[in-house]
Amino acid sequence: MALPYLTRRGDTFAFRIAVPDDLRPLLHVREIVRSLKTQTRQVAAPRALALASQVLQLFSELRDMAKRDDKDGIQIDFGFKINMNQFGFKTAEATDVKPGEAAEAVEAVLRLQQRLDQDQPQVPVAAAWPTPSLAVMSVTTPSLNEAIRDFLKGQHGASESWRGKLAITLGMYLELAGDVPLQDLKQATISEMFELICRLPNQWKSIQKRDGVSVREIAEQEHRGPLVAPATFTNQHKACMTAFINWARAKYTDQGFPPGLSLDKVEYRGTRKRGENKQRAFTLDELKRLFEGPEMAAIAADSTQHHKFWLPAICVFTGARIGEVCQLNPQTDIRQDGEGIWHFILSEDTEAADGVRKAIKTKTTRLVPMHAKLIELGFLGYLERVKATGSKSIFPAWKPVRGRAGRQPGDWFGDFLRDIGLHGVENNLGKALLGAHAFRHTMLSHGQAQGLNLTALTHATPKIDGVSPVAQGYMDPTIVSSLSRLKNDLDKLDYGIEFPVLAR
């Protein structure tokens, strides 16, 4: 009787199984074939069945990963290669990785490998046969890629922000050093990396994605925009490399990791100064230019572009980050409470739109009342129209990018500021308008100028005038910062803007 998954390749038996159609885009193959290294059917049959069990389990894990990643908003442009030995042990690696995707590839492969590791088989003694690759692995110094993956595995209890920074910085290091054995790492590569970082523009990752160029090529170009700032150099890149080197020195010195690698003499040598070009609030005149100018009037007159009006309008009356606003699900995140107060729910716990990974910096759900001006301008009508389409995105015209709902809107708003001559304009303190985060400064600053303490609407811990920090620790925020009280204070905020009338 023919045994499923068993075939011949010449005189040698082989394992063979077709990859289901829905998994082919992920695995980039139509079938999996592996030599069973035997010409005896009695030996080949149990080996084929053992591999079949593991491959079918792999298919199930990959489908589960796809479902979770769709929910989490992970998008990848590279493929995966699954290596499997005759015991069914599986290891993952990325394929077709383009320049600039190293960090994402490391993170994605790590996530997949963790899932594969959850159900690795136990090797029965009777099933063992020669595996030269395992013997080689036991004496070979780990490669840089393997060490980075091992390091990142231990970081999954850390914040998503920290893990993202690690992936970016270590991906850059991997790109420059190559996937060499740890014993071949050089201090010169670290020094070169940090020299290049000082010459990179703020948006170097976007340039990599757009142009498919290397970090070195980007650093060698002339850039008009601001370069990487000292704080980013120190708090992200240097901190991430320091953490990795200290960990690798402790774990791999006996396996060849150079103990002399150090960042002690690495210093920022760029042209930026600490604290320069920080975001600032819009002045009232600048807000009028933004909302009363001919550019916004054209947007208001075209119903297909109304999302471009509502984005800055919501931000200026909530102080919310652009990502928090853009990830709002109109079906669940904008509603009335028991007193009839319309409010926004900024949370990681509510349902996300397809392809969106919700993120709140403080991980704490915030309820932000809807300013009366938004209701007056017709936002509830816009909300109902979007809800009627079944969309789970408040701005369905903008698509998420790698799980981030605010990437495209943020790029658009930055360009809009440039178009109307406001981007990069500094005040007398040297702080500039750089993007939508300025609305956070705007709401708090103008609120304070009008005698309103609106910090409870942001991630900042609200400070109550005349009350000591110790006393504030005893206060119940559900009373002090109740939705009705916040709504009462927020509605007093008045920018004096003549907003455009939106076309029906």
Side-chain angles (χ1 to χ4, degrees):
M1 182 178 67
L3 181 67
Y5 319 120
L6 191 63
T7 187
R8 280 185 179 273
R9 306 185 75 181
D11 294 332
T12 303
F13 281 96
F15 167 79
R16 181 179 182 181
I17 189 171
V19 176
D21 291 343
D22 61 318
L23 297 180
R24 288 178 185 176
L26 180 60
L27 293 176
H28 288 224
V29 294
R30 297 177 61 85
E31 62 181 21
I32 297 174
V33 180
R34 181 174 179 83
S35 173
L36 296 172
K37 300 181 180 181
T38 182
Q39 298 178 8
T40 305
R41 183 182 179 84
Q42 288 82 354
V43 175
R47 292 181 181 178
L49 290 174
L51 284 176
S53 173
Q54 294 304 313
V55 170
L56 292 174
Q57 177 65 27
L58 170 64
F59 290 164
S60 176
E61 291 166 347
L62 290 175
R63 285 194 177 98
D64 179 64
M65 183 188 76
K67 291 177 181 178
R68 294 185 186 183
D69 286 350
D70 284 345
K71 181 177 180 181
D72 292 342
I74 299 300
Q75 300 176 357
I76 57 174
D77 298 322
F78 41 82
F80 285 124
K81 179 180 178 182
I82 308 298
N83 299 313
M84 183 183 304
N85 66 21
Q86 48 265 66
F87 299 134
F89 283 94
K90 303 178 286 288
T91 59
E93 64 180 274
T95 62
D96 303 321
V97 179
K98 301 179 181 64
E101 291 184 338
E104 289 84 355
V106 169
E107 180 70 14
V109 168
L110 176 63
R111 294 181 61 195
L112 174 57
Q113 186 65 51
Q114 285 189 315
R115 291 175 184 168
L116 300 181
D117 289 344
Q118 290 176 359
D119 192 33
Q120 296 285 24
Q122 298 297 317
V123 183
V125 175
W129 66 88
T131 53
S133 61
L134 294 180
V136 173
M137 288 175 61
S138 64
V139 297
T140 301
T141 301
S143 70
L144 176 59
N145 186 32
E146 292 170 333
I148 290 174
R149 284 173 48 189
D150 192 14
F151 171 67
L152 291 178
K153 277 185 179 181
Q155 302 297 315
H156 274 261
S159 70
E160 182 178 349
S161 174
W162 174 243
R163 288 186 286 114
K165 292 176 181 178
L166 287 171
I168 289 173
T169 300
L170 297 180
M172 183 194 304
Y173 183 44
L174 181 62
E175 178 181 330
L176 292 174
D179 192 18
V180 298
L182 290 186
Q183 62 190 19
D184 293 338
L185 294 178
K186 306 296 183 185
Q187 181 70 40
T189 304
I190 294 177
S191 300
E192 177 192 22
M193 172 181 170
F194 283 94
E195 289 177 4
L196 293 177
I197 288 173
C198 291
R199 303 202 300 268
L200 290 175
N202 274 345
Q203 303 300 321
W204 66 272
K205 288 294 294 179
S206 298
I207 296 174
Q208 274 198 324
K209 286 295 180 185
R210 184 190 66 204
D211 300 338
V213 293
S214 68
V215 171
R216 184 178 285 103
E217 289 173 317
I218 296 174
E220 291 173 352
Q221 298 172 2
E222 293 291 333
H223 301 284
R224 296 177 57 187
L227 303 182
V228 167
T232 303
F233 179 92
T234 300
N235 300 333
Q236 175 175 329
H237 299 298
K238 190 172 180 179
C240 289
M241 278 302 298
T242 298
F244 173 71
I245 287 176
N246 289 342
W247 172 87
R249 184 184 295 118
K251 183 165 185 176
Y252 288 121
T253 295
D254 291 344
Q255 294 174 270
F257 182 82
L261 290 187
S262 170
L263 274 73
D264 291 345
K265 296 184 179 181
V266 170
E267 297 179 356
Y268 179 75
R269 301 183 185 279
T271 58
R272 298 280 300 276
K273 296 180 180 179
R274 293 188 181 276
E276 70 175 5
N277 289 333
K278 291 291 187 181
Q279 288 271 37
R280 64 171 175 84
F282 285 89
T283 66
L284 293 179
D285 286 341
E286 288 167 340
L287 287 176
K288 290 178 181 294
R289 175 67 184 93
L290 173 64
F291 287 105
E292 297 180 5
E295 298 84 359
M296 190 61 77
I299 289 173
D302 183 354
S303 61
T304 65
Q305 298 193 66
H306 283 180
H307 55 289
K308 296 178 181 178
F309 168 79
W310 288 118
L311 171 63
I314 294 173
C315 286
V316 80
F317 282 115
T318 62
R321 298 178 181 84
I322 194 169
E324 294 174 336
V325 172
C326 294
Q327 70 189 14
L328 286 169
N329 181 342
Q331 312 295 337
T332 60
D333 296 342
I334 307 173
R335 57 178 62 186
Q336 290 177 289
D337 71 352
E339 299 180 27
I341 299 175
W342 282 98
H343 60 281
F344 302 96
I345 303 173
L346 305 180
S347 175
E348 294 183 349
D349 300 328
T350 55
E351 185 179 6
D354 292 341
V356 172
R357 181 175 64 251
K358 285 193 166 187
I360 302 294
K361 186 173 182 179
T362 58
K363 309 299 180 184
T364 302
T365 295
R366 301 201 313 277
L367 304 184
V368 180
M370 188 180 300
H371 194 288
K373 178 60 72 171
L374 293 176
I375 297 175
E376 177 188 327
L377 292 170
F379 178 71
L380 294 180
Y382 172 83
L383 173 64
E384 289 305 312
R385 289 190 293 274
V386 175
K387 288 178 66 175
T389 68
S391 174
K392 296 178 183 177
S393 171
I394 191 62
F395 303 128
W398 281 311
K399 304 304 179 185
V401 177
R402 295 193 178 279
R404 295 175 59 182
R407 174 65 64 83
Q408 283 190 359
D411 290 345
W412 168 80
F413 188 70
D415 290 339
F416 189 74
L417 288 181
R418 292 182 181 90
D419 292 341
I420 63 177
L422 294 181
H423 189 278
V425 175
E426 298 183 359
N427 61 11
N428 58 4
L429 298 178
K431 297 184 178 181
L433 292 176
L434 302 176
H437 198 67
F439 287 121
R440 199 174 194 81
H441 301 266
T442 300
M443 186 194 75
L444 294 175
S445 297
H446 288 283
Q448 187 68 32
Q450 297 175 29
L452 305 171
N453 185 347
L454 302 177
T455 58
L457 298 173
T458 70
H459 73 283
T461 301
K463 297 179 181 179
I464 306 171
D465 294 338
V467 180
S468 72
V470 173
Q472 290 184 48
Y474 288 96
M475 294 185 178
D476 186 339
T478 63
I479 298 174
V480 176
S481 302
S482 66
L483 200 59
S484 60
R485 175 171 177 168
L486 292 175
K487 168 71 171 172
N488 182 64
D489 289 344
L490 182 61
D491 280 349
K492 295 176 184 177
L493 179 63
D494 184 5
Y495 296 111
I497 301 170
E498 292 293 334
F499 291 94
V501 177
L502 275 64
R504 297 294 181 182

